[in-house]
Amino acid sequence: MAFRTTNLRQSQRKKELKRVAGTALSAIGRGFSKAGSLFAKGMTKTVRFAENRIRFFEKKRKERKLRWFIGILLILFASVIVVGASMKIIRFLQDFQISDFLKMAGDELPKDEKDFTNILLIGVGGEGHDGEDLTDTLMIASIDESTKSIVMTSIPRDFYVETDLTAGRINEIIRDVMDISPELTEEEAYIRGLNILIREIEEVFQMKIHRYIQIDFKGFKNGVDAIGGVDILVEETIDDQSYPTSNWGYERFYLEAGNQHLDGEVALKYARSRHGNSDFSRAKRQREILTAILDKTISGEILTNPEKLKELYSIVDDNLKTDLSWREILTLAHVGYTFPRERMLSFGLNDDPSKSGGFLVTPERDLYGGAFVLVPYLNLESDKYKQIRVYYENITRFRKLHLGEITIAVENGTKTQGLAGEGAQHLERFGIPVRRIENAAEELAETEIRYYKTGETEEIVTFLQRFIVGKPVPVEPPPFSLLPSRNLASYPFPPNEIEIILGSDYEIIRRPEYSNDITLPETP
C-alpha cells in the first residue's frame, strides 16, 4: 500500500512537472507573439508563476528535483533571451544599408575653408595608345556634403600654361617634367610632374586640390565592362572619321543619337572622340560617362555582388593611381551612394562667350610655336585668370542657384528689344543660371533687383551686384495667413526667386575682369 501510494505521488509529481513545464512553455510562446511591453509583461507573469511553483515544490520535493526544475526554467529563459537577441539582429540587418557600412568603415575627407573636398580626376592613354604619355582628361570634382552635391569642372587639354619648368598645353606637363628629370626614377619623375600639374591648376582656379585619381584607358574600358556597361542619352549623332586606334592608326567611330547602352570599348570611344565634334563637347560627354558609371557602380546590382566587387578591385588595383587611402575611398563610395544624381552638376571651360564658362580663345598659332592652344580671354598680364577664378567661385560656392533652391529671373523693363536675353547671357557666362527671361510689365529708368528678404537672398543679391548694376529692392511677402495655403498667385513673383528688372541704365554692367575693387562677400 505504501509502495502504491509512493508511486502515485511520484506519478502526480511527474504530471505536475509536465503541467508546469507546459504552462511555462505556453506563457513563453505567448510572450514571443507579442512585441515590446506585451513581451515583457508575459515574461513577468511566467517568472512569477514559476516562482510560486518553486515555493510549492520546496516543501514537497527533494533538493535534487528542485535543482532539476530550476535548470529547465533557466534553459527556457536563456532560449528566450537568445531568440529575442536574434530577432533584434535580424531587424538590424533588415534595416542596415550599404551606405551605413561605407560610412562606418570610411575616414573623413580633407576639406578647404569652404568645407569642400576637391579631387583631380585624370585620364591617361596608357601603354599602346595614341598619346599614351599625355593627360587625355582633366576634371575637378568638388564635393560639398552640406548640400550633398558634386560640381564637376572640365579643363581643356589644350589649355596653355607656363610653369617653373615647362610651357605648353596643360596635358603635356607630366610628360615634359618626366623628360627633363633623368636623374629621378620613373615613379619619382611622375610624382614631380603630377605635383607641378596640381600646383598649376590650384593657381589657375585659386583653390586647393586635396587628392587625385588617375586611370588609364584599359582600366576605364574593363571597368565599364565589369559593371555590365552604361546607359547614355546621346544628344547628337557622332560620326568621327579619324578616331585613333591602339596601333597609331585611325578608324571610323559612328554612334547614333538617342538612348544607347555602351560597353567598355564604345564608352571609351564616346568619351575620347573629338573629331566628330568640338573638344568642349567631348569634355561634356566625359562628365556624362562619369555620372553613368557612378550610377551603375553604386547600384545594388554591383555593391551586393561579391564577384563584381572583386573584379572591380582587381581592375582598380592594376590600372588606377591615387593618393586616397582605402578608408577615404570607402567614404567616397558613401558619397556616391547617398548623393542624389540630380545634385551632380556639370561645367567646363570653353571658347563660346555666349555659354557658361566661355572665357577661352584660340590665339594665332605663330605666337605659340605653331601649336593649337587655348588661352584666357583678355589674357591680361596683371591677372589673366581672373575671369576663370570668378567663374569657378560662382559654380562651386553658390550651388543653391544651380540646384534650383533659389532661382533668378531677368526681365526687360525698357522698350529696347533683346535686353533680357543679353542680361541673362552675361550672367550665364559667369556661371549664374537664369531660369526665366521675359519682358517686364512696367518700364524702369533704373535697374532693380527685387527679392524677398532672407539671409540667403540678401547674400546672393549682394553677389549679383558684382555683375549687374541694380538697386536692391526687398519686397514684402503676402500676409502670413496666406502662406499655409501656398497660394502662389498671391506672390508678385515666386517666393524662392530673385527678380532682375533691367531699366534704361542697363548699359552699366559690372564685368569682374575690369573691377578689381569689387570683392565677393565674406563666406558666413
Side-chain angles (χ1 to χ4, degrees):
M1 189 72 176
F3 177 79
R4 291 180 63 183
T5 303
T6 302
N7 285 344
L8 181 59
R9 288 176 179 173
Q10 289 177 349
S11 176
Q12 288 174 342
R13 287 173 185 153
K14 287 181 181 179
K15 290 180 180 179
E16 183 69 4
L17 287 173
K18 289 180 180 179
R19 189 179 70 80
V20 171
T23 304
L25 287 172
S26 297
I28 291 170
R30 289 194 299 273
F32 271 122
S33 66
K34 299 180 180 180
S37 62
L38 292 178
F39 176 79
K41 185 177 180 180
M43 284 303 304
T44 301
K45 289 183 177 180
T46 301
V47 172
R48 287 177 180 173
F49 177 83
E51 288 175 347
N52 291 333
R53 302 314 298 174
I54 288 172
R55 292 193 192 98
F56 173 78
F57 278 102
E58 283 178 347
K59 298 178 180 179
K60 302 295 184 179
R61 302 176 57 202
K62 296 180 180 180
E63 185 178 352
R64 179 173 59 82
K65 294 290 185 181
L66 179 62
R67 288 198 302 267
W68 175 80
F69 182 70
I70 292 173
I72 289 179
L73 284 179
L74 290 175
I75 290 172
L76 293 174
F77 187 73
S79 299
V80 172
I81 297 298
V82 171
V83 172
S86 298
M87 292 301 294
K88 288 183 179 180
I89 292 172
I90 290 171
R91 286 194 297 270
F92 170 76
L93 291 176
Q94 287 175 339
D95 296 336
F96 188 80
Q97 299 291 328
I98 293 173
S99 59
D100 296 326
F101 164 75
L102 296 173
K103 186 174 182 179
M104 289 187 297
D107 201 2
E108 186 174 353
L109 294 170
K111 295 179 174 62
D112 60 19
E113 69 280 0
K114 300 183 184 69
D115 281 337
F116 299 159
T117 299
N118 304 312
I119 299 176
L120 180 63
L121 308 177
I122 305 172
V124 298
E127 186 176 353
H129 285 274
D130 178 45
E132 63 184 56
D133 54 352
L134 298 175
T135 302
D136 188 78
T137 301
L138 284 172
M139 194 182 303
I140 304 169
S142 180
I143 302 168
D144 178 24
E145 295 187 27
S146 66
T147 59
K148 291 188 177 296
S149 65
I150 303 175
V151 171
M152 295 185 294
T153 309
S154 297
I155 306 172
R157 59 183 182 178
D158 295 325
F159 186 64
Y160 180 85
V161 291
E162 296 179 357
T163 72
D164 295 338
L165 299 177
T166 66
R169 298 187 186 99
I170 198 167
N171 72 327
E172 299 170 336
I173 289 179
I174 294 179
R175 181 202 64 183
D176 291 349
V177 170
M178 292 181 71
D179 287 345
I180 61 175
S181 306
E183 73 282 3
L184 303 178
T185 66
E186 182 176 348
E187 182 63 21
E188 290 172 340
Y190 166 80
I191 294 297
R192 184 186 189 189
L194 175 66
N195 287 335
I196 291 176
L197 171 63
I198 290 175
R199 189 166 67 241
E200 192 62 29
I201 292 174
E202 290 177 336
E203 170 66 19
V204 171
F205 291 92
Q206 210 164 59
M207 43 80 75
K208 173 68 177 175
I209 297 290
H210 299 104
R211 296 288 187 267
Y212 81 94
I213 300 174
Q214 174 183 301
I215 192 166
D216 59 29
F217 292 163
K218 178 182 177 182
F220 177 90
K221 183 172 73 69
N222 292 344
V224 172
D225 285 335
I227 62 176
V230 293
D231 297 313
I232 292 291
L233 173 60
V234 180
E235 294 182 357
E236 298 180 6
T237 296
I238 298 174
D239 190 3
D240 186 350
Q241 300 290 334
S242 53
Y243 180 85
T245 63
S246 58
N247 58 358
W248 293 276
Y250 296 96
E251 65 181 6
R252 184 191 183 196
F253 170 54
Y254 180 83
L255 186 64
E256 288 188 357
N259 291 308
Q260 300 285 357
H261 180 78
L262 312 183
D263 61 16
E265 183 175 354
V266 177
L268 178 61
K269 291 179 179 179
Y270 181 76
R272 288 195 67 205
S273 176
R274 67 181 302 186
H275 297 286
N277 211 320
S278 71
D279 195 43
F280 309 112
S281 297
R282 171 181 174 272
K284 182 175 181 292
R285 294 196 303 271
Q286 290 172 353
R287 297 192 295 272
E288 292 172 357
I289 284 284
L290 184 62
T291 302
I293 291 173
L294 178 61
D295 280 342
K296 191 68 175 288
T297 303
I298 65 175
S299 67
E301 176 186 348
I302 303 299
L303 286 181
T304 59
N305 188 328
E307 292 301 319
K308 287 291 184 184
L309 291 176
K310 183 178 179 181
E311 185 178 358
L312 284 173
Y313 173 82
S314 177
I315 293 169
V316 167
D317 194 44
D318 292 340
N319 301 283
L320 182 138
K321 292 182 179 180
T322 183
D323 56 353
L324 284 161
S325 69
W326 273 108
R327 292 186 64 185
E328 289 175 335
I329 290 175
L330 290 175
T331 300
L332 274 183
H334 174 261
V335 166
Y337 191 80
T338 57
F339 282 22
R341 297 284 72 75
E342 64 271 14
R343 289 179 176 258
M344 292 188 67
L345 308 172
S346 178
F347 302 91
L349 297 175
N350 60 82
D351 62 352
D352 187 345
S354 66
K355 294 182 179 179
S356 175
F359 295 109
L360 302 179
V361 294
T362 304
E364 294 292 333
R365 294 195 177 196
D366 293 344
L367 300 175
Y368 294 88
F372 174 86
V373 298
L374 294 164
V375 298
Y377 174 72
L378 293 179
N379 201 359
L380 303 174
E381 290 296 327
S382 58
D383 190 354
K384 61 184 177 182
Y385 300 131
K386 188 178 183 74
Q387 293 173 316
I388 294 174
R389 290 168 178 168
V390 170
Y391 173 71
Y392 188 75
E393 173 82 3
N394 292 352
I395 62 177
T396 54
R397 178 176 169 184
F398 293 97
R399 303 185 189 212
K400 290 189 176 183
L401 293 174
H402 298 281
L403 296 172
E405 296 176 15
I406 298 177
T407 62
I408 294 176
V410 178
E411 297 186 5
N412 184 1
T414 74
K415 293 181 179 179
T416 305
Q417 296 295 318
L419 278 189
E422 180 183 334
Q425 180 178 303
H426 172 64
L427 294 176
E428 291 274 5
R429 187 185 186 194
F430 282 96
I432 304 170
V434 176
R435 297 299 177 95
R436 184 167 61 86
I437 304 172
E438 60 186 41
N439 291 324
E442 56 187 313
E443 292 186 13
L444 296 179
E446 183 180 5
T447 298
E448 294 183 359
I449 304 177
R450 299 177 182 177
Y451 64 99
Y452 298 107
K453 192 173 182 179
T454 67
E456 287 185 335
T457 54
E458 284 184 311
E459 181 190 13
I460 293 178
V461 167
T462 301
F463 156 71
L464 288 173
Q465 288 178 286
R466 191 178 184 193
F467 303 92
I468 290 181
V469 175
K471 180 176 69 175
V473 180
V475 177
E476 288 296 325
F480 181 77
S481 59
L482 293 177
L483 296 181
S485 67
R486 299 187 182 277
N487 183 8
L488 297 183
S490 64
Y491 285 82
F493 50 92
N496 67 330
E497 186 174 85
I498 296 174
E499 190 177 67
I500 302 173
I501 303 180
L502 303 177
S504 301
D505 64 343
Y506 172 63
E507 66 273 13
I508 307 173
I509 301 176
R510 293 195 193 274
R511 300 185 184 275
E513 65 268 23
Y514 302 138
S515 307
N516 293 322
D517 58 327
I518 301 174
T519 58
L520 284 170
E522 292 296 323
T523 303

